[in-house]
Amino acid sequence: MTDSRIAKVELGTAGLEVGVQGLGCMGMSAAYGPTDADEARATLERALELGVTLFDTADVYGLGENEKFISPFVKAHRDEVVLATKFGIFRDPAEPTKRAIRNDTAYIRQSVEGSLKRLGVEVIDLYYMHRRDVNIPIEETVGTMAELVREGKVKHLGLSEVTGGELRAAHAVHPIAAVQSEWSLFSRDIEAGVVPAVRELGVALVPYSPLGRGFLTGSFVNAEDLTSDDFRRTMPRFTGDNAAANAALLEPVRAVAEAHGASPGQIALAWVQQQAALLGLPVVPIPGTRKRSRVEENTAATRIVLTEDEWAVLEPIASKVAGERYADMSFSSAGRE
C-alpha cells in the first residue's frame, strides 16, 4: 500500500504540504444525482490511505449537508487532513435553484461560523472565497478573511475563479495560498491571465473539474441522459450539438489511453500534472468522486508520463471545444478578464 501513495507538494509558500492530488467532495452530497453514503465514506478513507490529504468542500454543497457529511471523517483524521471549504455562493433553502454571490463582511463572518459548526472543527485549514462579488472591493473581502486568520478560525486563504488582477490585489492585502479554477484538457482559459499571476506570486493552483465534470472519462456523452437533478444538464458543453461535437474530441484521448493501458480519465489527469510542471506551478487537482475504484484510478494517474508526441496530439483539444463552461460566465474569471 505504501508504494501506491502519491507524492506531496507545498501548497503556496506558507508551508502547507499536501498530496499532489486532492479530493473534491461535492458529489457525495449534491449536484450529481443519487449517491451511496456508505461507499462515499469508504472513498474518503481510501483516498487518505493513498496519500490524498486535501479534502475540498463548500457551504453551498447540499446547502451545508456536504460539510456535515465529511465531518466525522475529518474529526477522525484531523492531524492528517488538510480541510478546505468555501463561502460566497448564497442559496435560499426555500428557492434552492436561485443563487446570489455575497462577499460582505457580515456574510463572511456568518458563513465561517456556520462551516466551523457543521464541520465540527475549531479551525479551517484553507478558506476560499468561492465566487467574486464585483460590487465589493476584493481588498475589503480579503481584509475580512485576514481577520479570521488572526482570530485563529482559519489558517490559510484561497480564492476561486478570480482574474490575475484580482489575485494580485488580494495578495497585497494578505498572502493567498491557493487559487481554485476550472482547468483541464477542455478548459484552459485561465492560462492567459490567471496562471501568470499565480506563478509570479508563488500561489498554488487547485484545478477543479480536471476531468471535465466526468465528460473526459466518457462516463456520459450527453447531459440529457443524466438524472433530472444533475446540474450538468444546465451546462452548454454537454447538451445538443455541443455535446456531440465535444464527444468527438475524445478520440485522441482514448488513443493515448490505450497506448498506456490507462483510462481516458487518467490521461486527462496526467495532462494536468505535466502541464503544471511545464508552466512551473505547484498544482493540486481535486477530481471529485464517490467511489473507491475511481479514487484508486485517479491517484494512479499521477505516475503516468506522457510523451512529446502524445502531448502534441492532446494540445489542440481545448481550442476546439464547443460551448462555454457555464451558461453565465460572469461568475468565472474568464468572464471578467
Side-chain angles (χ1 to χ4, degrees):
M1 188 171 294
T2 301
D3 291 341
S4 63
R5 287 177 67 85
I6 60 177
K8 295 181 178 180
V9 66
E10 187 172 343
L11 199 67
T13 57
L16 186 62
E17 190 177 63
V18 298
V20 295
Q21 187 180 108
L23 179 64
C25 300
M26 178 181 72
M28 295 178 178
S29 306
Y32 294 130
T35 185
D36 180 333
D38 290 338
E39 177 63 18
R41 292 186 189 97
T43 299
L44 292 168
E45 297 287 349
R46 184 61 177 139
L48 188 61
E49 291 174 353
L50 291 167
V52 173
T53 56
L54 178 62
F55 292 82
D56 183 272
T57 183
D59 61 1
V60 74
Y61 298 161
L63 296 174
E65 290 303 314
N66 194 237
E67 289 179 324
K68 292 178 185 178
F69 181 80
I70 71 169
S71 173
F73 166 77
V74 171
K75 289 189 286 187
H77 303 285
R78 192 66 191 98
D79 293 339
E80 303 168 83
V81 165
V82 175
L83 173 63
T85 192
K86 316 176 195 73
F87 74 89
I89 300 178
F90 171 74
R91 279 200 170 110
D92 186 342
E95 295 185 87
T97 60
K98 296 182 179 180
R99 74 175 190 174
I101 308 300
R102 290 188 60 180
N103 292 172
D104 57 282
T105 294
Y107 184 72
I108 295 170
R109 290 196 162 275
Q110 172 188 329
S111 297
V112 75
E113 296 299 338
S115 288
L116 288 167
K117 182 177 180 180
R118 286 186 294 271
L119 289 161
V121 298
E122 295 182 355
V123 61
I124 295 164
D125 299 313
L126 178 59
Y127 199 43
Y128 286 100
M129 179 191 76
H130 203 165
R131 289 294 185 270
R132 167 99 164 91
D133 180 353
V134 296
N135 298 309
I136 296 178
I138 198 164
E139 295 87 348
E140 180 180 325
T141 300
V142 176
T144 301
M145 295 170 71
E147 291 174 4
L148 302 181
V149 176
R150 291 191 288 272
E151 294 165 11
K153 296 176 180 179
V154 170
K155 289 184 180 179
H156 303 278
L157 302 185
L159 303 172
S160 180
E161 288 288 0
V162 291
T163 67
E166 289 165 349
L167 172 58
R168 291 184 178 92
H171 197 75
V173 175
H174 188 280
I176 302 300
V179 165
Q180 187 173 128
S181 285
E182 185 169 357
W183 194 36
S184 72
L185 274 170
F186 265 32
S187 302
R188 297 179 58 180
D189 50 68
I190 66 168
E191 292 179 19
V194 179
V195 165
V198 164
R199 183 170 52 220
E200 168 193 325
L201 299 171
V203 176
L205 183 62
V206 178
Y208 71 82
S209 299
L211 294 171
R213 303 184 186 278
F215 196 81
L216 286 165
T217 70
S219 61
F220 73 100
V221 295
N222 192 305
E224 293 171 3
D225 298 328
L226 301 172
T227 57
S228 60
D229 57 348
D230 194 309
F231 91 120
R232 288 173 291 185
R233 291 174 66 95
T234 70
M235 296 183 154
R237 290 185 172 177
F238 307 140
T239 57
D241 292 342
N242 287 347
N246 293 335
L249 297 177
L250 297 179
E251 282 303 319
V253 182
R254 283 192 283 266
V256 173
E258 186 175 350
H260 283 268
S263 69
Q266 286 179 312
I267 298 306
L269 289 171
W271 179 89
V272 169
Q273 298 282 183
Q274 277 186 245
Q275 179 73 340
L278 286 174
L279 295 173
L281 297 173
V283 170
V284 182
I286 50 169
T289 185
R290 47 202 181 186
K291 296 181 180 179
R292 282 169 287 181
S293 60
R294 290 301 186 194
V295 84
E296 290 166 356
E297 178 182 322
N298 292 346
T299 53
T302 65
R303 294 181 285 276
I304 294 174
V305 179
L306 302 173
T307 68
E308 289 186 10
D309 287 345
E310 290 167 342
W311 198 261
V313 168
L314 300 174
E315 176 65 23
I317 290 177
S319 64
K320 300 176 183 178
V321 172
E324 296 283 8
R325 294 197 275 131
Y326 296 100
D328 181 357
M329 285 291 286
S330 65
F331 297 111
S332 72
S333 60
R336 298 193 306 276
E337 284 283 12

